[in-house]
Amino acid sequence: MLIYLGVGVAVGLVIGVIPGLGGTGAVAVLLPFVFVLEPSQAIAMIIGAVAVVHTSDVITSVVLGIPGSASASVFLLDGHTMAKEGNGGRALSASFISSMIGGLIGIVALTVVVPIAQPVVTAFGSPEIFALVVMGIFLTATLSKGNVVKGLLISVFGLALGMIGVSPVSAEYRFTFGSEYLTEGIGLVAAALGIFGVAEIIDLVAQKKSVAGEKIKLGSGWRQGITDALRYKSDVLRGSAVGVGVGILPGVGSTAGSWLAYGQAQAFASRRGDGRFGKGDPRGVIAPSAASNGIESGALIPTLLFGVPGAAPFALLLGILLIFGVQPGPTLITQDLDLVYFIVWSFAIASVVGAALAFFMARPLAKLSHVRFPILAAGLIPILFMSGFQEPLDLHVFYTMFLLGIIGWICKMTNIPRAPFLIAYVLAEPLERYYFLTVNVFTPSEWLTRPFVAVIALVLVGVVAMSVIRYVRTRNAESQAMQMSELSDLKAPPFMDLGVSLVGVVFFIAMLSLVGGFSDNGRVFPLVVGIMGLVLAVLSLVRDALRARSEGGLGRLDAAWRERLNVVGMSALWLLAFMALVFLFGMLIGSVIFALVFLLVVARLKVLPTLIYVGCLAAALYALVEFAMLVPPSGYLI
């Protein structure tokens, strides 16, 4: 188990440095191995990646001033300032130690919570679990980064895609259009890799440059950083507590937790009058570092105890547990308590190992940010698509990943959060199942008046009220986001937002037109989801129209946008060319031909490095097939 845990830690550290991929990308890259490993081995590997991704994404923030993820942007204030003063090593070591301690504190909290919560959780019935799932989806969309209305809209879109395939409440296929591929639904791996991985590949290739070009200077003070973490132990403890508290709440996420931890540390320092926040204060690195890993360990609580993932990586973990027939929630505590503590202490070990490895890997990991994106993409594209192929073993999954990649890129460019989509997609089946059980066993007056259901309803009403009040006060919908947005470097003109909303209206109208062909039980949930989606799409369309009116028109694409779209269009064509090569010649030969031409034409790499790169890629793919037992797609010609 320790070997697989170590593999997950190594992958999480590497992926965490690449801006945009983050924890979800790290888990998604490892997903194909789930199908060839034992359950404990696969879970250990995934936990290893999740536990350390926020340990390494601080490296580019501190050293280069470019955040590896949205949550790592808080380290630009003091961490990067320390690096510019020659104390980058001090900032990184303080961050690594604090991150490790924060993860351990979160695990201790989870260890204590499980036996305390056991009698409460085991008393839950289908109404309580249904209400929890609704709350998880709603809070993720409402409190996550980006546009709130469109966050809710893409959540409903995730629910719609999650209903493709066999209905969990009736013996029928839904939305398959006679396709054998769709009878099993859209695979979790394909959905995650498409909406996150392929979308980022398209955007990274579009930039055609490395993250940074300046010389790496980690500086000194590595021992001093360890001393700082021990000296400011109260900031570590408070940051960890903030992180665990935020992690328990689905949807709030790591970015909000990191900034909350930074704010409380700054507030306590101002009371003592000894703060230098924003000018290189190590506490500005210590508190959010402790919070970031505390959030990840805290997010295990709703994921394991209630089956409601606290963030997108945990939605993938939830999906993996379901693949192995493990149902998170009350039954997990009563039937698989050993698995719960296996996950808990795997996370603890990964936190310690990740912090230790980060000390030695900081410099080479930082150098990844100097590699031009097309060079990375030449290897990532074959690996991502081969990963997505493992679940359905059907080449049609390539189309799915490509389309979801385009959707993910559009979401990123128009400030639509993508995490709500993935969480809603994973929770679509349990949401429908528990809804069906609830309405068939209880009358509305019985299940709506149960104490826990009533409490959740009040929480949701409070969140909606806060959002409305904030909107009325600010008159700015985007300021409703509790986290920093994943805004792109280009602002989308109003007509793009209008186009997205209009596509949503058309999509849900088409969905509602198909619902009538299902059985009475099978049509209830699609009908509810379709109506909700249509209402949200129309609301989004109205808001976008008002925005266009306030800005004096639909706007236009400036030169920067036109250039980006041209290159993204070329990126999409390259992906289609890769798919065509695989369809014709199979994965190994198709990937070799693609990488060879792509590196020479797009990356403009010299012939010898290109040949070495392609040889290594071919060897890696061959090793995955021979030793990891992955199944490569076969071509029509070979």
Side-chain angles (χ1 to χ4, degrees), residues 191 322 342 484 503 530:
L322 294 174
F342 172 76
M484 286 187 64
V503 169

Side-chain angles (χ1 to χ4, degrees), residues 217-422:
K217 296 179 181 179
L218 292 183
S220 59
W222 290 89
R223 292 184 180 179
Q224 182 62 39
I226 300 175
T227 304
D228 288 334
L230 299 176
R231 175 186 175 188
Y232 298 115
K233 53 183 176 294
S234 59
D235 290 280
V236 175
L237 295 175
R238 285 195 302 270
S240 302
V242 169
V244 173
V246 169
I248 293 174
L249 299 174
V252 179
S254 56
T255 308
S258 298
W259 283 99
L260 286 173
Y262 184 90
Q264 62 84 22
Q266 187 177 29
F268 274 92
S270 63
R271 292 179 185 178
R272 295 191 295 264
D274 61 347
R276 293 183 61 252
F277 282 77
K279 301 178 180 178
D281 195 312
R283 286 170 290 185
V285 174
I286 290 171
S289 295
S292 62
N293 255 27
I295 290 167
E296 299 301 316
S297 51
L300 283 172
I301 295 176
T303 304
L304 297 179
L305 301 189
F306 306 116
V308 179
F314 292 93
L316 297 179
L317 174 62
L318 178 62
I320 291 166
L321 293 176
L322 294 174
I323 288 173
F324 289 119
V326 179
Q327 179 65 56
T331 56
L332 186 64
I333 296 180
T334 56
Q335 299 177 9
D336 296 291
L337 190 60
D338 57 332
L339 179 61
V340 173
Y341 282 109
F342 172 76
I343 293 174
V344 167
W345 291 106
S346 294
F347 200 103
I349 295 171
S351 297
V352 176
V353 173
L357 287 177
F359 276 100
F360 300 102
M361 297 175 66
R363 193 177 299 276
L365 285 176
K367 290 182 179 179
L368 278 178
S369 298
H370 288 257
V371 178
R372 288 184 292 118
F373 287 134
I375 297 177
L376 291 175
L380 282 174
I381 290 172
I383 291 174
L384 288 180
F385 278 90
M386 187 170 178
S387 300
F389 178 78
Q390 299 309 303
E391 189 173 2
L393 297 179
D394 191 315
L395 280 171
H396 287 90
V397 74
F398 281 27
Y399 299 124
T400 303
M401 292 175 62
F402 178 77
L403 291 175
L404 288 176
I406 297 296
I407 292 172
W409 181 81
I410 293 172
C411 288
K412 180 176 181 179
M413 302 304 290
T414 55
N415 190 26
I416 302 175
R418 289 171 288 173
F421 164 84
L422 190 58

Side-chain angles (χ1 to χ4, degrees), residues 142-155:
T142 306
L143 301 181
S144 62
K145 53 197 174 187
N147 187 307
V148 174
V149 175
K150 284 193 170 69
L152 290 169
L153 181 61
I154 200 167
S155 291

Side-chain angles (χ1 to χ4, degrees), residues 124-131 433-435 437-438 441-442 450:
F124 279 12
S126 58
E128 286 81 8
I129 300 177
F130 170 70
R433 184 187 304 114
Y434 285 117
Y435 171 77
L437 291 173
T438 299
V441 176
F442 303 92
R450 290 168 75 108

Side-chain angles (χ1 to χ4, degrees), residues 118 149 185 250 398 404 453 470 487 492 523:
Q118 184 169 355
V149 175
F398 281 27
L404 288 176
V453 175
R470 190 177 300 111
L487 281 169
R523 77 163 62 103

Side-chain angles (χ1 to χ4, degrees), residues 603-621:
R604 299 189 182 278
L605 209 60
K606 294 182 179 179
V607 175
L608 182 59
T610 297
L611 293 176
I612 295 174
Y613 187 119
V614 172
C616 292
L617 175 62
L621 292 176

Side-chain angles (χ1 to χ4, degrees), residues 338-620:
D338 57 332
L339 179 61
V340 173
Y341 282 109
F342 172 76
I343 293 174
V344 167
W345 291 106
S346 294
F347 200 103
I349 295 171
S351 297
V352 176
V353 173
L357 287 177
F359 276 100
F360 300 102
M361 297 175 66
R363 193 177 299 276
L365 285 176
K367 290 182 179 179
L368 278 178
S369 298
H370 288 257
V371 178
R372 288 184 292 118
F373 287 134
I375 297 177
L376 291 175
L380 282 174
I381 290 172
I383 291 174
L384 288 180
F385 278 90
M386 187 170 178
S387 300
F389 178 78
Q390 299 309 303
E391 189 173 2
L393 297 179
D394 191 315
L395 280 171
H396 287 90
V397 74
F398 281 27
Y399 299 124
T400 303
M401 292 175 62
F402 178 77
L403 291 175
L404 288 176
I406 297 296
I407 292 172
W409 181 81
I410 293 172
C411 288
K412 180 176 181 179
M413 302 304 290
T414 55
N415 190 26
I416 302 175
R418 289 171 288 173
F421 164 84
L422 190 58
I423 291 177
Y425 173 81
V426 172
L427 293 178
E429 183 176 334
L431 181 66
E432 182 173 8
R433 184 187 304 114
Y434 285 117
Y435 171 77
F436 184 78
L437 291 173
T438 299
V439 298
N440 280 277
V441 176
F442 303 92
T443 64
S445 60
E446 288 176 338
W447 72 269
L448 287 172
T449 55
R450 290 168 75 108
F452 194 80
V453 175
V455 169
I456 291 178
L458 290 175
V459 170
L460 296 181
V461 170
V463 171
V464 172
M466 289 173 59
S467 298
V468 172
I469 291 172
R470 190 177 300 111
Y471 176 72
V472 171
R473 287 181 176 177
T474 61
R475 300 291 181 182
N476 186 345
E478 277 68 28
S479 67
Q480 294 180 53
M482 294 292 291
Q483 301 186 16
M484 286 187 64
S485 167
E486 56 174 339
L487 281 169
S488 69
D489 54 330
L490 299 175
K491 183 180 179 181
F495 78 84
M496 290 186 66
D497 291 321
L498 276 167
V500 171
S501 299
L502 186 59
V503 169
V505 171
V506 174
F507 175 85
F508 287 107
I509 288 176
M511 177 181 174
L512 289 172
S513 69
L514 299 172
V515 169
F518 304 144
S519 65
D520 292 340
N521 289 334
R523 77 163 62 103
V524 173
F525 203 67
L527 184 63
V528 172
V529 170
I531 293 173
M532 289 194 322
L534 183 58
V535 170
L536 286 168
V538 171
L539 177 60
S540 178
L541 188 64
V542 171
R543 292 175 68 253
D544 291 336
L546 292 175
R547 177 201 163 192
R549 181 179 179 183
S550 66
E551 295 187 9
L554 296 177
R556 55 187 294 272
L557 295 176
D558 57 19
W561 258 108
R562 289 195 297 271
E563 181 181 357
R564 174 65 65 88
L565 289 176
N566 286 336
V567 181
V568 168
M570 291 301 299
S571 301
L573 290 177
W574 276 105
L575 285 176
L576 291 173
F578 166 76
M579 292 162 56
L581 288 170
V582 174
F583 290 170
L584 290 174
F585 303 109
M587 175 56 71
L588 186 59
I589 297 177
S591 297
V592 167
I593 297 173
F594 168 78
L596 185 66
V597 178
F598 187 84
L599 289 170
L600 291 173
V601 176
V602 179
R604 299 189 182 278
L605 209 60
K606 294 182 179 179
V607 175
L608 182 59
T610 297
L611 293 176
I612 295 174
Y613 187 119
V614 172
C616 292
L617 175 62

